[in-house]
Amino acid sequence: MKQRTIHFTQEFTDTPGGRHRQHGDFSGQQFREDILRPALDQNDLVILDLNGAFSFPPSFIDEAFGVLVDQLGEDIVRKKLRIELNGNPLAQRKIADTLNEHAAKKR
Amino acid sequence: MRDGWSDFATGDFCTHMITPVLVSLATAVIAGGITRRKEEKNRCNNAFLDEVKRHVVVIRELSDRATAEVLVQLTGNPTISFKHSLQQVGTHVRGVGMNVEILKIYLPPEVLVALENASYKWANDLCADPYPMQKKSNALHTHDPHLKEIQTAHVEWQKYLSRFVMECTTGKINLKAN
C-alpha cells in the first residue's frame, strides 16, 4: 500500500490563505491542486499532518477539503485521507462539518 | 635570552602572558554577548512574527464569516433573521477591527496605517449603505452591482492579507522588535 505523509507547515505554510489563487498565496485552491489532489491520486493513503498551523480560515477549508469531496466523492476522501490535527478542536470541527456538508450535497 | 622569570622581573610578563590572555578572554566574552543578543533578538522577532500570523489568521477567519453572511443575505438565501445577521456581521467586523488594533503592538506606524486603510475599505464596501438586505430582491435574479463590489472588496482584502504576511515573513516589513 502506497502511503504519503504531508506535513502541512513544512510543505505549504503555517498561515493558510483565502479560497482561490486570486486571493493571494497559500490559498485553499493552491493547496488542493498542487499538493493534496496529486498526493491522493498517487497514493492509497495520505496522512495530512496539519499540526503547527496558526488556524484555518473557513474558506480555505471549504476550498481545500469541500471541493475535494465534490471532485472525488466522499468514500474516496474518507478512505484515502487521514487528517491529523491536535489541540485545535474548532478547526477539527470545521473540517468535519465541511466534509459532511459537501458529502450531503453530493448524495 | 628571556625566560618567564626575567619577563616577570622586567614587567614584560604582563605584555607577553597576561595581556594576550586578557585580550582573548575579552574577545570571547564580547563575541558571546553579541551572539546571545542576536539569538535573543531572533527569538523575539520570531515570537512577534508568530503573533502577527496568529492575528492575521483570525482576521481572515472573521472576514470570511462576515463576507459570507452578507453574501447570503444579498443573494436571498438567509438562514437567520436580518436582525440576527446584522448582529453577526457587526460582531465579525468589530473582531477584525480589534485584531488590527492589537497588531499596533508589532507594526511600525506606516504599515499599520496601510493595514487599517485596507481593512476600512473592506468593511466599508461590505456594510455600504443601503444595507444589502434592502437590496435583496434586486439581487435575486440580477447582477446586483453591490454583490460584485463586496466580492471584489473581499478578494482585494484577502490579497492584501496574503501579501502582508509574506512581507512580514521575508522581513520586508520590519516588525517593531527589530
Side-chain angles (χ1 to χ4, degrees):
Chain A
M1 191 165 93
K2 229 174 143 195
Q3 181 180 321
R4 157 144 154 69
T5 301
I6 299 171
H7 296 285
F8 188 80
T9 53
Q10 288 164 27
E11 296 179 44
F12 195 58
T13 182
D14 57 3
T15 323
R19 180 182 290 277
H20 297 300
R21 284 181 195 270
Q22 58 162 336
H23 295 160
D25 289 332
F26 306 121
S27 63
Q29 184 186 16
Q30 185 186 346
F31 176 65
R32 177 172 45 78
E33 288 179 350
D34 296 354
I35 297 181
L36 191 55
R37 181 73 201 264
L40 285 165
D41 287 342
Q42 290 158 19
N43 294 278
D44 302 310
L45 177 66
V46 173
I47 298 168
L48 176 59
D49 179 4
L50 294 175
N51 291 304
F54 287 105
S55 192
F56 298 89
S59 56
F60 179 93
I61 291 176
D62 193 64
E63 189 61 34
F65 303 111
V67 175
L68 197 70
V69 171
D70 296 344
Q71 290 177 345
L72 297 176
E74 182 189 5
D75 292 343
I76 291 179
V77 173
R78 289 204 191 277
K79 193 176 141 202
K80 289 179 114 185
L81 180 64
R82 190 183 303 160
I83 295 172
E84 290 184 356
L85 177 61
N86 306 316
N88 191 345
L90 200 67
Q92 280 174 337
R93 174 97 182 268
K94 272 191 291 189
I95 293 170
D97 285 351
T98 303
L99 292 175
N100 290 335
E101 271 169 34
H102 281 260
K105 244 189 272 173
K106 253 205 134 189
R107 272 179 221 137
Chain B
M1 191 176 140
R2 293 156 58 136
D3 57 38
W5 283 113
S6 61
D7 276 354
F8 191 74
T10 58
D12 282 350
F13 183 73
C14 272
T15 317
H16 291 118
M17 299 294 287
I18 309 248
T19 311
V21 169
L22 284 178
V23 167
S24 60
L25 209 69
T27 312
V29 167
I30 291 169
I34 290 170
T35 311
R36 255 203 311 279
R37 274 196 65 175
K38 268 187 188 164
E39 283 171 2
E40 188 60 36
K41 201 170 150 186
N42 279 342
R43 256 200 305 275
C44 193
N45 279 350
N46 289 341
F48 273 39
L49 182 60
D50 281 358
E51 280 307 306
V52 169
K53 284 179 173 179
R54 213 183 303 278
H55 285 293
V56 168
V57 172
V58 174
I59 289 171
R60 213 189 270 278
E61 272 193 60
L62 294 169
S63 310
D64 265 4
R65 288 178 196 283
T67 304
E69 188 53 47
V70 172
L71 289 179
V72 162
Q73 289 287 343
L74 192 59
T75 49
N77 301 306
T79 50
I80 53 175
S81 71
F82 174 58
K83 191 181 162 194
H84 192 187
S85 164
L86 204 66
Q87 279 171 348
Q88 276 201 359
V89 173
T91 306
H92 297 324
V93 172
R94 270 198 303 279
V96 169
M98 273 166 60
N99 278 279
V100 169
E101 190 68 20
I102 292 170
L103 286 176
K104 197 181 267 184
I105 304 168
Y106 311 105
L107 300 175
E110 66 279 8
V111 178
L112 186 73
V113 168
L115 180 66
E116 278 177 343
N117 286 343
S119 77
Y120 285 148
K121 173 143 191 7
W122 164 76
N124 281 338
D125 285 350
L126 187 72
C127 307
D129 199 37
Y131 187 75
M133 184 65 180
Q134 292 163 348
K135 301 175 87 180
K136 192 181 93 173
S137 56
N138 297 336
L140 273 173
H141 301 294
T142 56
H143 295 287
D144 190 318
H146 194 62
L147 188 83
K148 189 81 191 150
E149 272 169 30
I150 289 175
Q151 284 167 337
T152 309
H154 187 67
V155 170
E156 288 305 315
W157 177 225
Q158 296 286 314
K159 263 163 58 179
Y160 179 85
L161 288 173
S162 293
R163 206 170 51 242
F164 172 73
V165 169
M166 186 59 80
E167 289 180 357
C168 287
T169 309
T170 55
K172 200 171 168 190
I173 290 176
N174 286 321
L175 301 178
K176 265 187 185 170
N178 291 343

